[in-house]
Each structure stands twice: as structure tokens, then as C-alpha cells.
Amino acid sequence: MSEIRSSATLVALRDLERSSRRATMFIVREAGRVVKNEAKRNVRVYHGRPRFDVPRGRLRKSIHSDKRLRRSGEDTYSVRVAPRGWPVRGYAPKIEALDGYMEAGRRLALEQIDAIAEKSWARATRRRV
Amino acid sequence: MAGTLPPVVVELTANSGQFTAAMVQARGEVAALSTQGTAHLQKFSAANKAATEEVTRSASRLSVVLSLVSALFAKDSQRGFRSELRESAVAATESGGSLTALGKTAGVLGGSLLITAAASPIIARAFTAIQGPAEALDKALFGNIDEFNKVKKAAEDTAAALLKTKGAFGAAGSAKTFTDVLNQTDLLKAELTNAQQRLQNLSDTYGHFNSIVSDAATKGAAVQLKELTKAAAQSDEEQKQLTYDVKALASRLGDTNAAANDYARELQILQSSGLGLNQINDAVISSLARTADQLTSTTSSTYGLTAAVQGLLSVLGQAGHGSITAGFSTIVGDVVKDAGILANNPLLTQTQASLQKKGLNPDQIAAFLAQQKTTLSAIGSGGVGSVGGQAGLYDLNNILNPKGGGGGYSAAQAAKDSQNDALANLRARIQAESQIHPTSLAYDKQMVVAAQDTLHIARAAEKHAQSVYEHAKGEKARHAAHQVLITTMGLVNASQKDVTRLQNEGKTLALAAKRSALELNNARLEATSNMLDQATADAVHVKEAKDALALDKKNTLDYYRDLKTYNEAVATAVRDATSAAQQAKSDQAALANAKIEAGLDFSNAAAVAQAKVTEAQNTLNADQGGSLQYYQDLAALHQAIAAQAAALAQNTTATVANTAAMGGPLNQLPSYLADRITANAGAYYNRTPHAAGGGGGMTVTVTSMSGQDVLTAINAELRRNGKPPLS
């Protein structure tokens, strides 16, 4: 008897849809890591006379990305990367104006976004046993 | 100042909504194709297997490409991919390639995806990225590949048989070629179409006439009667014209009938030439199905198709190809039933679309379809203008010229009745042919029934073999038990012989021990007797010293001298009595050692035998009653009991002999010596067990079982387990 067997196809399509959500999360998270690492690498560290009120490397240590992804809507995920903490709020934008460390991280992430996306897709669609 | 500072917060956002929407749409299309396409596919495959293969392959290809599209647009949410895709789409559009179904999907997604050389690298990369799901898709979508191959092979076989048939026609030198027959058939079909249309008009007129008559009967309007008369006259004219046309058609059918008879003769020639009936069957079935399809699509007349089918059945029946008729009747029945479905089947459109996907232009497709139609119609047309077709027209003539000659209403009813009769006749003939020549399905059912019967027979044989095996197993157990009985009886007899031999040996040993004990006791008792004599003399001395002391006056010199003598005599008597008692105890221990050294202590052997009996009893309790191991262990228990009986008998004999040998001399001691020893030695003396027991020794019950006893015990066990006893 002739028939069109579509159950396996539907399962595969549904699995692919789930994998797309996972891949989206992987991409965002990995891009956030790239931004964070590049920003830390480019931010300047104070090497002047030691001061008790300004610990050395505080701005670099304060750069973090969100631990949890933000989800808006059904299929939209986002993450924020920025210097965290009130002590650095005052001078982080000023140093950004001088060095552009966050801009460097953003630029690198955009350059590598294709590779990140492909790698994340491969990871998300890897056959799970 | 703060407004000029740059932001330090980088927010990364990704969206996969477009991909999700694409997947939902793809799932919907696949599900719809599966649910709707399967039902149509099953009906369609009976009429055209090649079309089935193409449609299914198109569905599979569509699903695969849909997946690729979905996977491609999954990257649409990534930066840079959309522009690349659009560029590829533009390039593809310029190259002229087009996929209708995919274009629609791609348009929904905001781009026009075209699989061209420019887009292929993108597809390759996307395919690599979704390699896992793609493999699953491949497996799922091409799960019907075996079935496709079968259908394809059947189609190829059909085509080959078709060519052979055509070749045979050519070699047979038929007076009328297929083309001629086909042309005549086309003309006949056109005439039939016109006749059918006129019949329909006539039926409508009669229906109108009937309604008017009803109104007239109800309302009694004389004016309407005039209209009725006019309508009846008009119907008569049309009826005369139709009669004339039918006669003309009948005369033309005579020529076609001759061609059909030639066709029947050629079929007989083919059959006699050794061409496989199955091949002819497949070829004719396929071609007739296509012809029926063609007839349906061109005339859309169920009655005309029925008449044609009836004619074909008649030709095939005269040609002696009953199996062909039966197979054809099955297919044609489905075709007639599903004619409307086939005429509007959307899968035909998809088939054409799939041919377009292959790269064929419309002209090539039209030429291909025309070639197929011509080839198939050439074969199928052989039956259309035949005796059956003439019979169909004969029925039509009866409808148009009712014998009753009544009014328009009765003629229309007669036409319907005649049509129903023709259909009933066709069904009856198809059913009769199907019964006489069972289809492959019926044959398969017979084979299934035969296989089930075989299975029942096999299960009955297995059950019988199981019962025989159980019976044989019981016989084997009985035989083994009988052998065990024989062995047991032999062992019992041997044990009894051993008991007798050991008893004799025990008696011999007892006599030897008696002599040894007597000799030992003689020597020992002589020394002991001397010591007792000394003790007796000491006692006399004590008595004399006591008497002398009693005669002395106290606190005198003699008194103290006699007191000293008395004390010395008492000390001497006590010392000698102690020595005599120790000597007596030493004699007892020496006698016990001599008994052991003589091998006369069989209590240990009896304990070992008792342990063996206990162990055999425990082993027997662990066995399943009635089993072979049970009877073996039962025999071992009886053997252990016999061994225990022998050991106990030996022990009893030895004990009696020992008692007789040892108790005698001890009992022969003078009682006054014993009293003296008791009086003088006090706590230093203990009576021997033999003396305390009154010379009793062990008291045992000798147990012995004969072979008959063992047989009785085994039979009791067999009866307890519901088994027949042993003879």
C-alpha cells in the first residue's frame, strides 16, 4: 500500500525547531563572552602611585556579562555586557571615551558572529544520544 | 559633559522567530501532504503506478528542500547572512531557475530562495551545520525508497510487456493498426459523448414534462396541457434523431468490432506464442486503466465508461484471459468509482510541477504526456469498439426507444432502469469473474489461511510431541527408579553380607580382647591383690595398736608409746590403701586403653553412620518428590541406614563381649575387699562405669531393611506423588 510516511519528518522538523532556540541562546551567550574578554583585554589598568581608595584593576574586574539570558517574546534572547558596580560608574564612560574598550569588544563580536553562529548551530544540532 | 560620553553597555540580541515560523509552515505542509496525499495516493496508485512514484518522490523532495530552506533561514537571524542570501537569490533569479513550491515558501520568509550555482555554497554550509537533522530527514523521507523501487520495477515491467505486445501486434500483421483503431475509438467516443448529451437533454425534458404533468393533474390547467403536448412532440423529434444517430453508430461499430475481434485473435496468438500471461496481464491492466482514465477525463460520462468497460470485459473474456479480466475489473471498478476524484486530483498538478522541477519545459512535458497517452490509448483502444461497446450502445438504443412506448416520464424511468441494469450486469460479471479467477489478494488470503492451517497443525504436532516427551520422560524416570531399586537391593544385600562378616569379625575380636583383658587383669589384679593384702595387714596392725592403747593409762609412758605406734599403723594403713586405690584406678584406665587398642570401641563408627543417615535424610528432604534425584537420594538413605545398622550391630556385639570380658573379673573381686577399700580409702575411690551400670553397657535397637522393604518404601513414595508403583 502506498503512503506518505511523514511522522519521522515531523519529529525531525520539531526537533530542528527546538535546536534553533538552543542555537540562538548559544550564539548570544558566546558573543557576550567574546565582548567581555575583548573589553577586559583592552581596558587600561591604573599603574600610578598606590591609592587605598582605588584598587588596581577594579574596572577590568568589573566587566561582566549577564549570568542569565533575557528572553523577550517567544524566540528572542539577549544578553548585556558592561562594567558593573557603583564605584566604576563614574569613570567607566570616561575611559571608554579614551580607549573604546567596550566598542572593541562589540566590534570583535560582530566580526566573529558568523563563526560563532556556525559553531553554535553545530553544537545545538549535535545528535543527542 | 555626560551626554557626550559613549555608552559602555553592549546588548546582544538574537531572534529565531522567522525560523520557527518556517518550521511551523513546513510541518503543516508535510502533515497536509501526508494526510491528504496518502488517501489520494492509494487510489491513484491503482490506476497509474508511475504517477504514484513521481508524486511521492516529489513529496519527499519537497520535504527535503523545505528542511533546507528552514535550515537556511535559521541563520537568517545572524548578522550578514540575510544579505548573502538575498544576493544569492537575486543571482538565482537572474539565472532563470525557479522552484514554484519553494519560491512560495521563500517569499513568505522575505526572500526568494533559488537553488542555483550561486546559492549552492550556502546550502552546502547550511547542510553541514544541520547535518544531524538532515540525516534524520533523509532516513525519514526516503523511507519509502524500497517501495518506490518496487513500483518503478513494476512500471518498467509493464512498459516492457507493452512493447512486446505492440511488437507482437506488428509481427502478427494485423489488418488494422493501433492507430486506426484509436482513431475509430476517438470518433466513437465523440459520438458517444454527443449521444450522452442528447440523452441528458432528453432526460431533462422528460423531467420538466413530468413536473408539468404533476402540476396539471393538481391544478387542472388545460393551457398547460398544450405545452405538454408540444414538449412531447419535441421529445419525439429528438428521439427519432437519436435513433437515427444510434443506427449510424451501430453500423460504424461493426467495423470496429471486426478490429476488436482481430485484437482478441492477436491476444490468443500472444498467449499461444508463450508470452507470459502475467506480463500481458500487467500490460493490459495498465493500458486499460490509463484508457479508462482518459475516457473519464474526456467524456465524464459514467455510462459511456461503463459501456466501454463492459465491451473490454467481453473482448477479454472471449480471448480467454480470465485473469486479465478479473484484474482489470478490480481496477476499473476503482476508476469508475473515483472518476470524479481523479479528474480533480491536485496531485496531478503536483506531478506536473515535479516534472517542471526536473528541468523539462512545458513543450517537453506536453510531448511526453502525449506520447504516453498515445501509446497507452493504442493498446486500450482495442477493446473500446468491441462487442461490449456494441452491447452498451444496444442498451442505449433500448433507452432511447422504450418498448412500452409510453410517455416521456416512462421513457426516462426506463432509461434510468436500463442504466441501473447495465451497471448491475457489469457488477455481476465483475463479481463472477473475480470469483472464478481470484485476484492476488484473494490468493494471498488463501495462502494466509493455508499458512494458519499449517501453523495449527504444527502446534498440534508440537503439543503431541510434548505429551510424548512427557510420557517418555515418565518412562525414563520409572526406568531409572527401577535401576536404582536394583542397585539399592544389591547394596542392601551387600550390606547384609558385610554386617554378617563384621559380626563374625567382631566376635573374633571380642574373644581376642577377652583373652587380652583376662591376661592383663590377671597381672594387674595380682599386684592389686597384694596391695590389698598389705592394706588388710595394716588394718590388723591398726586394730592391735588401738587395743594396746586402750589398755594403757593415759599420760603414762606406755600410753604415749602405744599412741605413737597406733598413729604410725594408721598412717601406714592409709598410705597402703591409697596406693591400692590408685592402682585400681590405673587398672581401669589401662583396661580402657587396651579395649581401644583392641579396636573394640565402635561407638565412633556408630556416630559416623548416624551422621551419614542424617545427611542423607536432609538431602532427600531437599529433593522434589517424584524426581529421579529423589529416588537416587532415597536409595542412598536406605544404604546409609543399612550401614548404620551394621555399625550398631558391631557396637552391640563388641559391647556385650567387652562387658562379658571385663565385667566378670571385676565382679569377682571379694566384696569385703571392696568394703575395706571404701572404708579405708574414702574419697580416693570411684566406682567404674561398668560397675555402676550393673554390667549393662549400651542398649541399642538393631535396624535392618531388606530389598522388599526398600521396594515397599519406594512404591509408597511413588503413590504419594501420584505415580504408578514399581513391580
Side-chain angles (χ1 to χ4, degrees):
Chain A
M1 178 178 289
S2 301
E3 62 178 350
I4 298 176
R5 301 172 184 171
S6 61
S7 60
T9 304
L10 295 176
V11 171
L13 292 176
R14 203 171 290 113
D15 184 69
L16 197 60
E17 183 181 344
R18 275 201 300 270
S19 299
S20 71
R21 290 196 178 92
R22 297 178 73 236
T24 305
M25 290 189 288
F26 292 163
I27 291 170
V28 171
R29 192 178 292 128
E30 183 61 25
R33 290 196 192 99
V34 171
V35 172
K36 181 188 71 174
N37 294 332
E38 185 65 14
K40 282 189 172 185
R41 200 172 65 82
N42 286 278
V43 69
R44 67 172 62 185
V45 177
Y46 176 69
H47 290 290
R49 184 173 56 84
R51 296 170 54 182
F52 70 94
D53 58 338
V54 181
R56 182 169 292 173
R58 183 170 64 183
L59 179 58
R60 186 175 63 180
K61 293 176 184 176
S62 69
I63 300 173
H64 292 292
S65 61
D66 292 339
K67 290 183 178 179
R68 294 181 179 275
L69 296 178
R70 299 164 187 257
R71 182 174 183 177
S72 57
E74 184 69 19
D75 305 309
T76 302
Y77 299 92
S78 63
V79 66
R80 287 183 180 182
V81 185
R84 305 300 173 94
W86 66 267
V88 300
R89 287 181 184 174
Y91 61 92
K94 296 177 181 177
I95 297 178
E96 171 67 18
L98 296 174
D99 298 341
Y101 56 98
M102 294 303 296
E103 174 61 23
R106 190 183 68 86
R107 196 182 306 114
L108 182 63
L110 293 179
E111 290 175 358
Q112 297 181 354
I113 193 64
D114 285 348
I116 291 172
E118 193 163 348
K119 183 179 178 182
S120 300
W121 254 101
R123 180 186 169 198
T125 56
R126 189 179 305 148
R127 187 177 296 281
R128 294 181 293 278
V129 179
Chain B
M1 184 65 184
T4 60
L5 292 177
V8 294
V9 177
V10 176
E11 182 170 3
L12 304 167
T13 303
N15 184 292
S16 62
Q18 292 178 337
F19 178 82
T20 303
M23 297 304 292
V24 171
Q25 184 180 0
R27 284 210 308 268
E29 291 184 10
V30 172
L33 191 64
S34 176
T35 54
Q36 299 175 2
T38 299
H40 291 203
L41 195 63
Q42 291 174 0
K43 298 174 181 176
F44 197 67
S45 61
N48 195 336
K49 293 180 179 180
T52 300
E53 177 186 6
E54 187 62 33
V55 168
T56 311
R57 190 176 296 167
S58 302
S60 302
R61 189 182 300 112
L62 177 63
S63 300
V64 171
V65 180
L66 278 177
S67 302
L68 285 175
V69 170
S70 302
L72 284 173
F73 278 88
K75 294 186 66 174
D76 196 21
S77 60
Q78 277 65 295
R79 181 179 177 85
F81 181 76
R82 177 178 291 181
S83 59
E84 189 177 9
L85 185 63
R86 284 176 177 169
E87 292 174 2
S88 303
V90 171
T93 304
E94 293 174 357
S95 65
S98 176
L99 291 174
T100 304
L102 300 184
K104 181 182 177 182
T105 305
V108 175
L109 298 175
S112 176
L113 176 67
L114 302 168
I115 300 176
T116 61
S120 60
I122 306 170
I123 295 175
R125 281 193 293 168
F127 194 83
T128 304
I130 60 167
Q131 189 172 3
E135 291 177 357
L137 284 173
D138 289 341
K139 292 180 180 177
L141 295 174
F142 290 96
N144 289 330
I145 191 66
D146 294 334
E147 186 177 352
F148 292 163
N149 291 331
K150 292 178 182 177
V151 173
K152 183 178 180 182
K153 188 176 183 307
E156 291 175 352
D157 293 339
T158 303
L162 192 62
L163 292 176
K164 288 183 178 179
T165 306
K166 290 181 64 178
F169 267 93
S174 176
K176 291 182 178 298
T177 62
F178 277 108
T179 305
D180 297 334
V181 176
L182 178 62
N183 293 333
Q184 292 182 6
T185 304
D186 290 338
L187 293 174
L188 178 62
K189 283 190 297 185
E191 295 293 340
L192 283 174
T193 303
N194 294 330
Q196 183 68 19
Q197 184 62 38
R198 292 181 182 183
L199 176 64
Q200 184 65 35
N201 294 335
L202 184 62
S203 299
D204 295 341
T205 302
Y206 281 153
H208 179 63
F209 174 78
N210 187 26
S211 63
I212 292 174
V213 168
S214 299
D215 293 339
T218 304
K219 299 177 181 178
V223 179
Q224 292 181 355
L225 287 176
K226 295 179 179 178
E227 296 179 357
L228 290 176
T229 306
K230 184 178 180 181
Q234 185 178 357
S235 299
D236 291 338
E237 291 295 329
E238 292 181 355
Q239 183 174 343
K240 290 178 180 177
Q241 183 63 33
L242 282 175
T243 304
Y244 175 76
D245 295 340
V246 166
K247 289 180 178 178
L249 287 174
S251 63
R252 297 183 61 182
L253 277 174
D255 299 335
T256 310
N257 187 22
N261 292 331
D262 295 339
Y263 174 72
R265 283 197 300 275
E266 298 301 336
L267 284 178
Q268 291 178 351
I269 293 171
L270 288 175
Q271 184 181 11
S272 61
S273 64
L275 188 60
L277 267 181
N278 293 330
Q279 293 176 337
I280 299 174
N281 188 12
D282 295 338
V284 174
I285 286 172
S286 176
S287 62
L288 291 183
R290 292 170 187 270
T291 304
D293 189 5
Q294 185 181 7
L295 287 172
T296 303
S297 60
T298 54
T299 65
S300 65
S301 170
T302 303
Y303 180 78
L305 178 61
T306 304
V309 168
Q310 195 171 9
L312 292 172
L313 288 174
S314 177
V315 170
L316 294 173
Q318 291 180 0
H321 293 71
S323 60
I324 297 175
T325 307
F328 173 67
S329 63
T330 302
I331 292 177
V332 168
D334 294 338
V335 171
V336 171
K337 184 173 61 179
D338 302 331
I341 298 174
L342 290 172
N344 299 319
N345 198 330
L347 296 179
L348 291 172
T349 306
Q350 295 187 16
T351 304
Q352 188 173 4
S354 65
L355 291 174
Q356 289 179 357
K357 292 176 188 175
K358 283 184 173 180
L360 298 175
N361 54 40
D363 295 335
Q364 290 175 331
I365 294 172
F368 173 76
L369 294 177
Q371 181 185 359
Q372 296 296 323
K373 188 180 297 183
T374 302
T375 304
L376 297 172
S377 299
I379 296 301
S381 61
V384 173
S386 61
V387 177
Q390 190 177 12
L393 287 180
Y394 179 74
D395 294 336
L396 179 63
N397 191 15
N398 288 336
I399 293 170
L400 297 176
N401 299 283
K403 292 179 180 179
Y409 173 73
S410 60
Q413 186 64 36
K416 292 181 181 178
D417 294 341
S418 178
Q419 186 174 2
N420 292 333
D421 293 341
L423 290 175
N425 186 23
L426 175 62
R427 292 195 188 96
R429 293 182 62 181
I430 291 173
Q431 187 175 3
E433 292 289 343
S434 301
Q435 291 176 355
I436 295 172
H437 304 285
T439 61
S440 60
L441 178 61
Y443 180 72
D444 293 341
K445 288 181 179 178
Q446 290 179 359
M447 294 302 291
V448 169
V449 172
Q452 288 177 348
D453 294 340
T454 306
L455 179 61
H456 291 327
I457 293 172
R459 285 179 177 170
E462 182 184 1
K463 190 175 181 181
H464 178 68
Q466 184 68 22
S467 62
V468 170
Y469 172 72
E470 294 294 338
H471 179 71
K473 196 163 65 173
E475 291 294 332
K476 185 177 180 182
R478 291 184 60 186
H479 179 69
H482 186 64
Q483 294 297 326
V484 169
L485 173 63
I486 294 173
T487 305
T488 304
M489 291 176 67
L491 292 173
V492 169
N493 293 332
S495 299
Q496 288 179 344
K497 292 179 180 177
D498 291 340
V499 168
T500 305
R501 179 176 57 80
L502 290 173
Q503 285 176 350
N504 294 332
E505 292 179 354
K507 290 179 181 177
T508 304
L509 290 173
L511 292 175
K514 182 179 179 182
R515 284 195 296 271
S516 299
L518 287 174
E519 292 174 357
L520 179 62
N521 285 334
N522 287 335
R524 292 274 180 176
L525 290 175
E526 185 176 0
T528 305
S529 179
N530 293 334
M531 295 178 71
L532 290 174
D533 291 341
Q534 185 62 40
T536 303
D538 292 341
V540 172
H541 292 161
V542 169
K543 189 174 183 301
E544 291 176 353
K546 186 177 181 181
D547 292 341
L549 183 61
L551 295 174
D552 294 338
K553 187 180 180 182
K554 291 185 179 179
N555 298 325
T556 63
L557 183 59
D558 293 337
Y559 176 79
Y560 290 108
R561 187 183 298 122
D562 293 338
L563 180 59
K564 180 182 178 183
T565 304
Y566 174 73
N567 290 334
E568 290 176 353
V570 170
T572 302
V574 170
R575 183 177 66 248
D576 293 343
T578 303
S579 300
Q582 290 178 349
Q583 183 62 34
K585 292 184 65 176
S586 177
D587 291 345
Q588 181 185 1
L591 286 174
N593 290 333
K595 182 180 63 177
I596 294 173
E597 290 174 358
L600 298 179
D601 188 2
F602 292 91
S603 59
N604 188 26
V608 171
Q610 178 62 36
K612 288 184 178 179
V613 169
T614 304
E615 181 181 1
Q617 184 65 47
N618 293 332
T619 305
L620 183 65
N621 292 335
D623 292 337
Q624 183 180 1
S627 64
L628 179 61
Q629 186 65 34
Y630 175 82
Y631 292 114
Q632 290 178 351
D633 293 339
L634 182 63
L637 175 61
H638 292 315
Q639 188 176 358
I641 291 173
Q644 184 192 24
L648 292 176
Q650 281 187 345
N651 195 14
T652 304
T653 304
T655 303
V656 171
N658 191 23
T659 302
M662 297 177 64
L666 289 177
N667 291 332
Q668 290 175 0
L669 286 176
S671 59
Y672 68 94
L673 290 178
D675 294 339
R676 288 171 60 187
I677 291 172
T678 302
N680 297 327
Y684 292 100
Y685 181 75
N686 288 322
R687 288 172 176 264
T688 63
H690 291 88
M698 292 181 67
T699 301
V700 297
T701 301
V702 177
T703 302
S704 176
M705 296 181 71
S706 64
Q708 185 62 34
D709 296 335
V710 174
L711 178 62
T712 303
I714 290 176
N715 285 337
E717 288 296 328
L718 289 173
R719 290 191 186 93
R720 190 165 62 85
N721 292 281
K723 305 291 183 183
L726 301 175
S727 59

